[in-house]
Amino acid sequence: MKNLHKIIISLGLVIGLGACADLEEKPIGVFAPETFFQTPKDVETAVLGAYGVIASENLFGRQFICALQFRGDMITIGNRATSAERIQMNDFNMDSDNGMIRRFWPQWFQAINAANSAEAGGISLDLPDNEINYLIAEARFVRAFSYFHLVRVFGDLPYINFPVTDPTSLKTISKTSEAEIYQGIIADLEFAKQWLPNKQKNDVRTRPSAGTAASYLASVYLTLGDYQKAYTEAKFVIDNKDLFGYALEANFENNFNANIADNLKETIFAFDFLGQISGSNGQNDDSLVPMLAVLNLTGGYGVSVPTQAVYDTWDARDYRKKVSFVDTLVVNGVKRPYKDFSTPRPHVGKWVKLPGNANAIGRYSDHNIADFRYAEVLMIAAEASAEINGPNAEAAGYLNQIRARARNWAGTQVDFPADVMPSMSKPEFIDLIIEDRRLEFAFEWKRWYDIKRRNLGEKVFLGPNSLEPQPTFDPSRDYLMPIPDSELRINPNLAPNNPGY
Amino acid sequence: MQKLLTSQKHGFLWVFMFMLLLSSGSLLAQNKLITGKVTSDSGETMPGVSILVKGSTLGTTTDIDGNYSISAGEGDVLVFSFIGMQTKEIAINSSNMYDVTLETDISQLDEVLVVGYGTTKKSDLTGSVSSVKAAELTAFPVANATQALQGRAAGVSVQSNNGDPGGSLKVRIRGGNSINASSDPLYVVDGFIGGTLPAPEDIQSIEVLKDASATAIYGSRGANGVIMVTTKRGKIGKAKVDFNTSYSSQEVINRIDMLNANQFLDYTREVIPNYVDNGADTDWQDQIFRAGGIQNYQVSVSGGSDVVNYYVSGSFFDQKGIILNSGFERYAITSNLNFKASDKISVGVNLLARRTGRDGVVTQEGSGGAGGAGVVGSALRFMPDLPVRNEDGTFTLASIGDPIDNPFAVATERQQETIGDLFQSNFYLNYDIVKNLSFKTTLGFRTDNNRTGTFVPTTLYAGANVGGDATIGASKNTDLISENYFTYNLDLNTKHKFNFVAGYSFQKSNDTDWSSGAQSFITNSVSFWNLQGGAVQKIPSSGFSETQIQSVFGRINYSFNDKYLFTVNARYDGSSNFSKNNKYAFFPSGAFAWNMKDEGFMKDVNFVSDFKWRVSYGLTGNQAIGPYQTLARFSNSYTIIDGVAVNAVRPTTVANDDLTWETTRQFDFGADMSFLNNRLNLTADYYRSVTSDLLFSVPLPTYTGYSSQLQNLGKVENKGIEFTLNTVNTTGALKWNTSFNISINRNKVLELPDGNDILYGSGPGHLIGLGQTQILRVGEPVGSFFGWVYDGVYQQGDDFLPGGGFEQVAGGEKFRDIDGEKDANGALTGNPNGALNADDRTVIGNGQAKFIWGLNNDFSFKGFDLNIFFQGSQGNQILSYSLLEIETLSGSNNSTTRALDRWTPTNTDTDVPKRTLQRSQRVSSHWVFDGSYVRLKNISLGYSLPSSILEKLSISKARFYVSAQNILTFTEYKGFDPEVNYNSGGGAASNRNLGLDYASYPNAKSYTIGLNVSF
């Protein structure tokens, strides 16, 4: 009897312990998508997540913008001991397994997935338009922004505008045509223009406003060669510049000064990097400055360096040349001309000179890395107007606003560059605008898109006046980058890859 | 029930009274006091030998000096027994004194093996189990007992993941049964599932459970085999003190011949003509390697009586690494106490308290870019014409290429310290409810606390950029386990024997961690102890996860006439980690063994002493899934708006509600054979295991926003044969025993998601552009190397194959065009297309060994003992990223002396390409090496003092020895050491990345002197 008692106690112990195990998981620090969206605040949290994805090493921190720099004729490889994938990106001889592409391609789609999730979350709340559409519009803007870059780089590609819950079902989709993707981009930007506020809270430029959406619409139409619509959108932004808070910065250099990056009237859209901090997965990690900085004297990587011709052909009277280059360095009190640089050429000065709170080589800087400045709206207006009406005073006026600003040599008025007069042929005038764009946006990631848009590749890489001769440039291949090989392996329906790869 | 118990009780009473009668009977027969001394055949006195008057319950044991006294009458028979010795019977005649010598029992059949939830005699075993004894575990000093298993047990492969002191090990039982989940075996320490091993000196034996019959009782954690660890117990007798100590002197096992400064200057100026000579001639390997050493001390006190036994041990292990500033130390206390509280109840507790400390240096860096090079990586890359310090006293930085610190600076300036405190206790209560029915309950608790601090001072490049970088992090992992089971033995007619085990188990594990860091300090002197002094605060982090498992399990053993043995095992596991649709899993197994020797027809086959066939089949599992992995997730996204971080999330994981465990089905067929009076023992096994429902991070097209999704897809197979041969070659004064084991395993991927190849990269991050260097392909072993076929060097006048990124010059690397032609649909035809590209990559090797083996010879003669232990691996290949980096002759680093044979217009008969700066670093067959090796793992010569001297010193044993470890290695591999494991820690990487070498901490060779004393 006594034994039985003990057995029962033992069994009780067993069963008692068993009862506490329900095996349900209650994770901490992660959020379930099904239950996440309860209020507009949650939608906003999801939208903001996308910016962190873009403000990352793989996109605007380094890989994507550096790739665009290499593609253009303003920056080439300085230290040729750098990795082959960069050299191949620059020299137009990459294959479909290029490492830079393998990094930035997936990252763009993470941003797109974040935007799609936020959009769907916003719609799921089923609120009146005026309470939620400004957030849905923001999500759609991010999607449009991402696809606008992607479509210019890759041409036809998969277009996904819904949150992915069953990724396996997307394994066999085909590419969407460029034209269709542009339709999606335009629809998103139109919606964004309609519903986004004229100014974001605190007038930040790292979230889009209606003005941002209109500016990108102008750029989209310009890229498509629809100059009338490009003009209309650019004009809309210029006419409403006060409403949106846009103006040219008095000092050109302000645009590349991290210390005042949050307060620039000229910035239309930028990504905010916070100094000396790195998030996980490469978020908030920017290496633009060390990529550009001199290898031996500053500890930079000296990878992305202009050719000598870019420097030599630029009129020394142009204040923008001074801002754009580092041609001497003072190291330990000793002045070192660029002949002493490990790559003995002038290096890029934009961003590098004023990285704000950053580490010693300028990584983890405080820059807000801008993708769009008000100057570009003026340039688009000028180019579109000239394309529609030929050289005209209005178009010249837009250019001259930018030239006038360039004559402000850090507070001292100089007389270079002089205003332009519309008294020239249309092709000459258009060339002049493209050339002004080249200098104004030197080393920003505009030049490659201009070369592609204007079909200038043979001229600028193979022509007699090439700043950066690239004998392997092949116009039938190199206006598009290859979709990563790994994607085609998983989804053969994406084949064939872009021509030549 | 009540009635049954009552009648049983009466039965006991009767037996008891009967015994009383018997003993009183013998008392009546004029007893006298018998005394004597028991010694072993090797002349050692034997304490703790059990002596029983045959046919009675009267008994005693020998004392510490081997002496005994017992009361017995003439005509009685005394039975002397001791584990590992042949039992001896002595008939009492008129003499009152009997000195007895016990012979070593070379038959292993009575050996008791520890299996899941019980023990079994080797002769009753139906499964495949290897056993490794204390002497082998302590043959030479090791930081971790698992290390001592290398080469000791068939089917068990042990490799260091890195050669650093206190570094982790990769243990595989019968190959890797998974691809993405861990293939580490389950450790069970005195019944504690997932317990931590005590110091090697405190371990009595390790049993390795290999087939499904043996492991299925551990269900969803049994698929990778189980390592059962039994710690030492006190034996009946006076307190016994054992003291073991050794000292080892260590040096690096091998060095790599690098270019000296002059050679380097020639080599560099060929492509950088204006390279300025920095004037020094530094051998960087000299700068970082030093003579290391191991001190090892252990003292234990053990003893016991009928009621209580105890074993208390303290140990100290201190290793000074062969690279500056690296080391490991371990203090441990192990205690085992067992009490017999009553006739029916016994209780006990096992305790382990341990402090470990580790000073690490950076090796096997994941990326050796700017400021990221580790000690060994930098020692190979760094320019030999640079001195350690500049004239101003600062450390030199690389003069070309990525700005990396010199290896001396990396070794001496960077601080990385890990302190671990572990406490493990396991309490049990065993209750003999009625005869043959007992209940055991255990309650185990373990907590493992670790703190890691790192500091990168401003004297290093990475620290200088940020004004010093300090991080301190801690983790606390706790485990609670309760196991409860009944054991019931039933004999029917002495022919039918049953043994039943049934129980319930519950286990809960919590993992927590937190860390913080800061940068930009006023001084380097505060290390990581003044985070608040940093001008820049890094983002702190913390994490929590919990896992629960509850299970029921059972086993039935049935034997008929001891000839036909049947075992059925099963476990039903529920785990919180599993997805919501699949919370519970069932794992059954069955086995049959046939003691053929017991059959009539074998009776007269005298040269066969024993012959048993075994066959088993069963299912085991691998939990595979980590906590919360089945759930869809938004995770934090670090987003800055208006200069401050804001709350932001992004989708990071997509759900899979059907995700489940991996199941391994294993078939085993084996035989245990003994010949020539047990002087030759052979165990042979064939096995085939197939793991299905492999957890795969199935690659998704990244345009979905995800790179992969966890799915149960795919199969992998391991099949092989194992042999263990133990022979007693000579007996008598010169004793010579040999043991040999060999394991032949073949690993193969049987199924992959959609049948598609899976490519992945495993190289160091700074070798940008290496890309995907490995492949999972159906029909190939896991972790095959993937790259181009190297055809040597282009010569003048060759047809250069076109291809972006490939050289088209004389002296350039020449690769083979094997594929690339495409049909109308854009699919590859498998024909060459006259150009090189990514399609020309193929499988160029793998890191899986064809076979591994160990050969041990023990000799003893009088007081001398000699041990020679060889261990080896055959047919495994190595992909060396280290040699790729320094011998591609492209980058801006030093190279090996192989560069002296580089192609030049006048030196064309070579496979070393020319010096250039334009060559891509590319994985090809050029960097795949034969990693086979034969190693003299240990050679040891010992001398034990004879008992005549010992008695004068009143000690029972004293042995001195000298030994050497790893002093001979035969290999073709050109790196430091063929035992390599780069990028191979934890989960998926540990299966997929085999045979990779990059900047590893090399293994050491050692010379050891030691002393073992007992008194």
Side-chain angles (χ1 to χ4, degrees):
Chain A
M1 189 62 212
K2 200 177 158 199
N3 290 334
L4 188 65
H5 184 64
K6 284 179 183 168
I7 291 171
I8 290 165
I9 290 172
S10 309
L11 285 172
L13 190 70
V14 168
I15 292 157
L17 273 165
C20 42
D22 60 5
L23 306 184
E24 283 300 312
E25 296 197 279
K26 300 167 195 77
I28 290 173
V30 293
F31 311 99
E34 313 85 66
T35 55
F36 180 78
F37 293 106
Q38 304 294 336
T39 66
K41 177 82 188 144
D42 303 324
V43 180
E44 185 174 17
T45 303
V47 174
L48 294 179
Y51 300 127
V53 174
I54 301 174
S56 68
E57 214 276 334
N58 285 337
L59 294 177
F60 275 69
R62 169 151 70 173
Q63 303 295 345
F64 183 69
I65 56 176
C66 287
L68 292 179
Q69 287 177 329
F70 290 139
R71 275 325 244 193
D73 60 346
M74 296 293 280
I75 279 184
T76 185
I77 302 291
N79 170 20
R80 289 193 71 92
T82 192
S83 55
E85 63 184 31
R86 294 172 180 160
I87 294 174
Q88 291 164 13
M89 177 65 72
N90 183 73
D91 292 2
F92 297 102
N93 61 0
M94 69 180 161
D95 58 32
S96 57
D97 201 31
N98 184 277
M100 296 188 86
I101 297 177
R102 269 193 281 115
R103 277 188 279 271
F104 65 69
W105 164 280
Q107 191 86 13
W108 273 123
F109 287 101
Q110 287 173 26
I112 290 165
N113 192 29
N116 289 339
S117 300
E119 182 200 17
I123 293 168
S124 74
L125 294 186
D126 206 14
L127 292 169
D129 286 354
N130 59 346
E131 288 176 32
I132 194 66
N133 276 9
Y134 71 102
L135 289 170
I136 294 173
E138 190 170 355
R140 292 183 66 172
F141 172 83
V142 172
R143 178 169 65 211
F145 169 83
S146 304
Y147 270 113
F148 184 36
H149 274 297
L150 281 169
V151 76
R152 282 181 288 176
V153 171
F154 295 101
D156 299 352
L157 78 159
Y159 183 74
I160 291 159
N161 58 358
F162 50 87
V164 175
T165 51
D166 180 12
T168 314
S169 66
L170 298 178
K171 272 188 168 180
T172 52
I173 60 171
S174 303
K175 287 191 273 200
T176 305
S177 71
E178 258 189 83
E180 261 182 85
I181 293 169
Y182 272 112
Q183 282 173 20
I185 293 169
I186 290 167
D188 283 342
L189 290 176
E190 291 286 3
F191 185 86
K193 184 180 163 192
Q194 182 187 350
W195 289 102
L196 283 172
N198 291 329
K199 279 184 184 174
Q200 282 284 359
K201 196 176 148 205
N202 294 340
D203 196 16
V204 297
R205 305 300 168 88
T206 52
R207 296 178 70 180
S209 66
T212 319
S215 302
Y216 274 91
L217 271 173
S219 179
V220 168
Y221 287 127
L222 187 78
T223 303
L224 293 173
D226 187 340
Y227 297 111
Q228 186 57 55
K229 284 182 176 162
Y231 174 77
T232 307
E233 295 297 337
K235 188 76 169 44
F236 168 78
V237 176
I238 294 166
D239 289 346
N240 292 290
K241 67 179 191 302
D242 296 332
L243 188 63
F244 299 132
Y246 297 154
L248 291 178
E249 284 292 319
N251 183 347
F252 177 70
E253 186 162 41
N254 288 357
N255 288 306
F256 312 100
N257 180 352
N259 301 308
I260 54 172
D262 287 339
N263 305 306
L264 298 173
K265 293 285 171 210
E266 188 166 339
T267 304
I268 287 182
F269 193 54
F271 294 94
D272 195 339
F273 287 84
L274 186 61
Q276 303 253 39
I277 291 280
S278 74
S280 52
N281 303 308
Q283 291 187 207
N284 200 49
D285 175 357
D286 61 302
S287 292
L288 178 62
V289 171
M291 287 291 282
L292 301 169
V294 180
L295 175 66
N296 56 340
L297 298 176
T298 69
Y301 310 152
V303 171
S304 310
V305 181
T307 61
Q308 189 68 36
V310 174
Y311 181 79
D312 291 345
T313 55
W314 197 330
D315 196 307
R317 293 171 295 169
D318 192 342
Y319 173 57
R320 291 174 300 183
K321 179 178 184 182
K322 180 183 175 291
V323 170
S324 299
F325 282 103
V326 168
D327 54 11
T328 48
L329 275 173
V330 178
V331 182
N332 298 329
V334 182
K335 201 169 177 185
R336 307 290 289 271
Y338 67 76
K339 297 287 182 202
D340 291 351
F341 297 178
S342 61
T343 300
R345 302 201 298 262
H347 284 47
V348 172
K350 283 180 174 176
W351 308 285
V352 174
K353 293 177 188 173
L354 296 163
N357 178 29
N359 78 12
I361 59 169
R363 191 173 175 183
Y364 305 116
S365 78
D366 230 346
H367 280 298
N368 288 3
I369 293 179
D371 190 60
F372 216 118
R373 298 196 269 123
Y374 180 61
E376 191 177 351
V377 177
L378 296 172
M379 288 284 196
I380 292 170
E383 187 179 342
S385 166
E387 283 285 356
I388 299 162
N389 300 319
N392 64 75
E394 184 194 346
Y398 295 136
L399 278 191
N400 288 337
Q401 285 186 43
I402 295 166
R403 290 181 161 231
R405 188 265 299 273
R407 291 196 292 272
N408 174 13
W409 192 294
T412 307
Q413 281 300 315
V414 296
D415 54 10
F416 187 90
D419 278 355
V420 289
M421 298 297 156
S423 53
M424 57 183 89
S425 72
K426 183 174 169 184
E428 282 172 339
F429 193 69
I430 299 288
D431 282 354
L432 179 82
I433 294 168
I434 300 297
E435 184 67 1
D436 266 23
R437 283 180 65 101
R438 183 177 74 82
L439 299 176
E440 173 71 20
F441 304 125
F443 318 132
E444 296 170 55
W445 22 99
K446 301 290 161 186
R447 178 63 177 166
W448 168 248
Y449 289 144
D450 284 351
I451 292 169
K452 174 176 154 73
R453 175 168 74 83
R454 285 283 173 184
N455 214 2
L456 299 174
E458 283 154 292
K459 180 181 160 198
V460 303
F461 296 117
L462 305 172
N465 298 319
S466 170
L467 298 172
E468 185 193 318
Q470 290 293 358
T472 54
F473 177 80
D474 176 355
S476 70
R477 177 190 63 200
D478 290 324
Y479 283 129
L480 294 176
M481 295 189 199
I483 290 173
D485 187 50
S486 49
E487 299 285 87
L488 272 72
R489 278 174 183 269
I490 298 172
N491 179 2
N493 290 342
L494 296 183
N497 211 326
N498 285 326
Y501 296 105
Chain B
M1 187 77 173
Q2 192 183 3
K3 196 160 187 181
L4 177 75
L5 286 171
T6 316
S7 63
Q8 286 274 10
K9 224 173 183 176
H10 282 266
F12 277 131
L13 204 63
W14 281 113
V15 170
F16 181 71
M17 288 180 68
F18 179 65
M19 285 179 172
L20 200 69
L21 209 64
L22 271 181
S23 50
S24 56
S26 49
L27 279 172
L28 291 172
Q30 285 187 337
N31 274 358
K32 55 185 183 181
L33 196 66
I34 311 291
T35 60
K37 182 169 183 148
V38 183
T39 51
S40 71
D41 49 356
S42 59
E44 288 174 44
T45 57
M46 296 197 60
V49 175
S50 147
I51 302 150
L52 200 72
V53 179
K54 196 172 184 178
S56 83
T57 55
L58 290 180
T60 184
T61 53
T62 54
D63 67 11
I64 187 77
D65 300 316
N67 295 320
Y68 71 92
S69 62
I70 189 167
S71 175
E74 269 185 47
D76 280 349
V77 173
L78 295 185
V79 181
F80 294 78
S81 60
F82 193 80
I83 287 175
M85 309 300 273
Q86 288 177 14
T87 300
K88 197 161 188 173
E89 299 190 353
I90 299 282
I92 305 295
N93 50 34
S94 58
S95 170
N96 291 346
M97 202 176 133
Y98 300 88
D99 285 347
V100 175
T101 302
L102 294 184
E103 302 288 329
T104 308
D105 185 3
I106 55 177
S107 155
Q108 299 167 341
L109 292 177
D110 288 333
E111 190 182 345
V112 173
L113 298 175
V114 178
V115 295
Y117 305 100
T119 57
T120 180
K121 281 200 297 182
K122 188 160 189 211
S123 55
D124 292 340
L125 191 66
T126 55
S128 177
V129 176
S130 292
S131 183
V132 180
K133 297 300 177 204
E136 292 169 320
L137 298 173
T138 54
F140 49 90
V142 288
N144 180 334
T146 318
Q147 222 170 321
L149 291 177
Q150 190 179 42
R152 298 295 192 183
V156 181
S157 135
V158 179
Q159 276 188 314
S160 53
N161 281 326
N162 196 3
D164 57 330
S168 64
L169 299 163
K170 186 198 294 287
V171 180
R172 291 290 174 272
I173 296 173
R174 295 185 167 177
N177 279 310
S178 186
I179 292 180
N180 293 301
S182 168
S183 291
D184 292 339
L186 178 69
Y187 292 88
V188 178
V189 180
D190 290 329
F192 196 127
I193 297 177
T196 299
L197 274 62
E201 292 81 6
D202 297 326
I203 296 177
Q204 179 65 41
S205 70
I206 290 183
E207 266 87 30
V208 182
L209 314 186
K210 297 187 286 194
D211 72 339
S213 160
T215 61
I217 198 135
Y218 289 107
S220 67
R221 288 168 289 182
N224 298 323
V226 181
I227 293 185
M228 307 288 297
V229 178
T230 308
T231 56
K232 288 183 177 166
R233 316 263 131 156
K235 290 178 185 138
I236 292 175
K238 274 201 300 189
K240 175 169 175 258
V241 178
D242 284 283
F243 176 68
N244 300 299
T245 180
S246 65
Y247 177 78
S248 307
S249 165
Q250 297 196 304
E251 60 183 278
V252 65
I253 198 159
N254 182 24
R255 290 211 186 184
I256 295 178
D257 288 332
M258 303 299 297
L259 299 181
N260 64 25
N262 278 331
Q263 292 164 334
F264 173 75
L265 289 172
D266 283 351
Y267 167 78
T268 303
R269 284 176 178 158
E270 207 168 303
V271 288
I272 310 174
N274 57 353
Y275 181 80
V276 181
D277 180 4
N278 292 291
D281 187 1
T282 312
D283 181 334
W284 290 107
Q285 293 177 78
D286 280 350
Q287 293 296 327
I288 60 162
F289 292 129
R290 64 174 177 188
I294 299 175
Q295 299 175 60
N296 192 23
Y297 306 92
Q298 185 250 355
V299 60
S300 67
V301 181
S302 63
S305 67
D306 295 346
V307 185
V308 62
N309 68 60
Y310 59 92
Y311 175 87
V312 182
S313 159
S315 64
F316 173 54
F317 178 94
D318 181 17
Q319 182 171 8
K320 176 179 145 193
I322 53 169
I323 291 179
L324 292 175
N325 221 0
S326 62
F328 173 76
E329 59 182 22
R330 181 194 70 216
Y331 305 84
I333 293 171
T334 304
S335 168
N336 286 330
L337 305 171
N338 301 288
F339 306 92
K340 220 168 160 38
S342 76
D343 283 354
K344 290 178 171 289
I345 295 176
S346 53
V347 295
V349 65
N350 310 319
L351 300 172
L352 170 65
R354 191 183 76 178
R355 150 70 58 109
T356 51
R358 203 170 156 200
D359 284 324
V361 290
V362 178
T363 53
Q364 292 192 338
E365 55 272 25
S367 177
V375 182
V376 176
S378 180
L380 300 181
R381 293 162 66 187
F382 210 77
M383 296 82 218
D385 65 316
L386 279 166
V388 174
R389 288 174 189 273
N390 296 311
E391 278 172 14
D392 62 2
T394 56
F395 290 105
T396 49
L397 271 184
S399 49
I400 45 171
D402 279 335
I404 59 170
D405 295 296
N406 79 53
F408 180 84
V410 180
T412 55
E413 292 297 300
R414 199 174 188 284
Q415 294 168 34
Q416 182 169 319
E417 179 192 85
T418 304
I419 303 285
D421 289 323
L422 178 130
F423 178 74
Q424 176 172 291
S425 68
N426 199 15
F427 165 84
Y428 76 85
L429 181 150
N430 193 78
Y431 178 43
D432 293 322
I433 302 166
V434 292
K435 188 184 179 194
N436 291 331
L437 175 65
S438 66
F439 173 72
K440 185 170 183 178
T441 179
T442 72
L443 184 65
F445 172 74
R446 187 174 73 117
T447 175
D448 188 3
N449 303 294
N450 285 282
R451 186 265 292 160
T452 299
T454 54
F455 182 65
V456 185
T458 55
T459 47
L460 294 174
Y461 178 85
N465 287 334
V466 295
D469 182 301
T471 314
I472 187 160
S475 65
K476 183 183 182 78
N477 303 329
T478 55
D479 239 303
L480 183 71
I481 180 169
S482 167
E483 301 215 274
N484 310 278
Y485 58 97
F486 294 90
T487 307
Y488 181 58
N489 291 306
L490 177 68
D491 289 8
L492 297 174
N493 310 328
T494 70
K495 277 193 168 179
H496 304 278
K497 291 183 189 156
F498 291 88
N499 168 270
F500 301 90
V501 171
Y504 167 86
S505 163
F506 173 77
Q507 190 162 8
K508 182 159 121 172
S509 308
N510 276 322
D511 288 354
T512 58
D513 65 86
W514 54 98
S515 80
S516 190
Q519 294 175 333
S520 196
F521 294 90
I522 297 165
T523 161
N524 283 330
S525 64
V526 294
S527 184
F528 44 81
W529 289 117
N530 190 28
L531 293 188
Q532 64 277 25
V536 174
Q537 295 293 319
K538 297 208 281 190
I539 304 166
S541 72
S542 59
F544 170 86
S545 70
E546 184 176 272
T547 298
Q548 293 182 34
I549 300 169
Q550 65 175 342
S551 325
V552 289
F553 54 87
R555 173 171 56 219
I556 302 168
N557 285 323
Y558 164 62
S559 84
F560 176 70
N561 251 353
D562 290 334
K563 206 163 23 173
Y564 308 105
L565 310 165
F566 300 85
T567 303
V568 180
N569 277 310
R571 189 178 184 106
Y572 187 60
D573 266 345
S575 168
S576 61
N577 288 358
F578 296 160
S579 65
K580 64 181 180 190
N581 297 344
N582 288 305
K583 283 285 181 201
Y584 286 88
F586 182 63
F587 301 96
S589 82
F592 168 65
W594 173 34
N595 274 319
M596 186 173 76
K597 175 62 182 169
D598 293 351
E599 298 289 349
F601 62 85
M602 290 291 287
K603 210 164 215 165
D604 300 327
V605 186
N606 288 326
F607 74 97
V608 177
S609 326
D610 283 295
F611 206 118
K612 182 171 75 179
W613 295 101
R614 290 181 276 106
V615 60
S616 74
Y617 181 77
L619 272 60
T620 50
N622 186 340
Q623 292 228 332
I625 316 162
Y628 321 140
Q629 276 189 336
T630 65
L631 311 173
R633 273 179 293 191
F634 283 171
S635 304
N636 292 312
S637 179
Y638 192 71
T639 298
I640 310 298
I641 297 292
D642 210 11
V644 293
V646 294
N647 284 333
V649 297
R650 62 194 187 96
T652 48
T653 310
V654 48
N656 185 340
D657 291 340
D658 298 316
L659 211 57
T660 184
W661 54 92
E662 297 179 353
T663 302
T664 301
R665 289 172 170 78
Q666 189 179 164
F667 169 77
D668 183 284
F669 180 63
D672 300 321
M673 297 158 272
S674 296
F675 305 99
L676 307 173
N677 289 325
N678 292 318
R679 285 182 62 160
L680 193 154
N681 291 288
L682 177 66
T683 295
D685 276 276
Y686 163 83
Y687 61 88
R688 177 172 185 263
S689 62
V690 174
T691 307
S692 53
D693 290 338
L694 281 184
L695 185 75
F696 256 99
S697 219
V698 178
L700 295 170
T702 55
Y703 56 73
T704 59
Y706 302 101
S707 56
S708 60
Q709 182 186 31
L710 287 176
Q711 294 178 16
N712 290 105
L713 279 170
K715 281 185 184 170
V716 66
E717 171 195 76
N718 284 283
K719 62 182 175 187
I721 42 180
E722 301 163 354
F723 297 97
T724 305
L725 179 67
N726 293 308
T727 60
V728 178
N729 304 325
T730 59
T731 54
L734 173 67
K735 293 195 176 64
W736 174 25
N737 295 343
T738 301
S739 58
F740 174 69
N741 68 76
I742 182 166
S743 318
I744 302 163
N745 186 65
R746 292 290 178 273
N747 173 282
K748 190 160 85 174
V749 177
L750 296 185
E751 263 179 46
L752 288 175
D754 302 334
N756 289 336
D757 291 345
I758 296 176
L759 303 182
Y760 58 98
S762 61
H766 70 288
L767 300 185
I768 305 166
L770 281 185
Q772 296 169 315
T773 56
Q774 304 222 257
I775 188 168
L776 295 170
R777 174 177 280 177
V778 172
E780 299 286 345
V782 175
S784 294
F785 310 144
F786 191 60
W788 287 268
V789 177
Y790 183 63
D791 271 342
V793 175
Y794 278 125
Q795 303 294 348
Q796 297 286 2
D798 281 0
D799 290 332
F800 304 130
L801 285 165
F806 290 86
E807 286 179 291
Q808 285 120 33
V809 290
E813 288 182 321
K814 180 175 168 185
F815 298 103
R816 196 173 300 167
D817 176 23
I818 55 174
D819 202 345
E821 188 187 85
K822 290 180 179 169
D823 62 19
N825 301 322
L828 291 167
T829 60
N831 295 318
N833 64 340
L836 291 171
N837 58 22
D839 298 328
D840 294 310
R841 292 176 296 174
T842 184
V843 172
I844 52 173
N846 70 76
Q848 309 260 6
K850 299 265 184 287
F851 59 89
I852 56 171
W853 56 273
L855 172 63
N856 189 55
N857 276 290
D858 281 309
F859 302 88
S860 66
F861 181 71
K862 303 217 164 136
F864 290 94
D865 61 86
L866 173 67
N867 170 267
I868 304 173
F869 175 39
F870 282 96
Q871 172 262 332
S873 174
Q874 197 66 34
N876 53 305
Q877 288 168 310
I878 294 173
L879 169 57
S880 175
Y881 290 118
S882 268
L883 294 175
L884 182 157
E885 178 177 37
I886 59 180
E887 290 185 350
T888 293
L889 309 197
S890 173
S892 311
N893 36 250
N894 197 9
S895 185
T896 66
T897 50
R898 211 169 155 238
L900 300 174
D901 190 31
R902 64 188 177 273
W903 188 94
T904 62
T906 53
N907 181 36
T908 56
D909 184 19
T910 175
D911 68 341
V912 185
K914 70 169 189 171
R915 178 68 166 126
T916 176
L917 286 177
Q918 310 293 339
R919 186 172 300 131
S920 297
Q921 287 165 326
R922 197 180 285 284
V923 165
S924 73
S925 53
H926 195 183
W927 312 116
V928 176
F929 301 88
D930 181 359
S932 306
Y933 69 91
V934 174
R935 175 168 287 168
L936 179 53
K937 192 82 194 164
N938 188 44
I939 178 164
S940 147
L941 178 66
Y943 177 68
S944 300
L945 291 180
S947 49
S948 54
I949 298 178
L950 292 174
E951 274 170 26
K952 283 177 201 154
L953 298 170
S954 58
I955 52 181
S956 57
K957 181 187 162 197
R959 173 175 174 264
F960 306 88
Y961 64 94
V962 290
S963 68
Q965 291 79 42
N966 298 343
I967 50 166
L968 278 178
T969 303
F970 304 94
T971 182
E972 299 278 302
Y973 181 55
K974 295 190 175 70
F976 280 110
D977 188 41
E979 197 182 312
V980 295
N981 265 318
Y982 174 68
N983 193 358
S984 190
S990 70
N991 298 310
R992 293 167 160 220
N993 298 347
L994 298 176
L996 307 178
D997 191 11
Y998 184 74
S1000 296
Y1001 194 118
N1003 280 316
K1005 52 182 166 186
S1006 318
Y1007 302 92
T1008 303
I1009 53 170
L1011 171 68
N1012 313 118
V1013 194
S1014 306
F1015 44 90

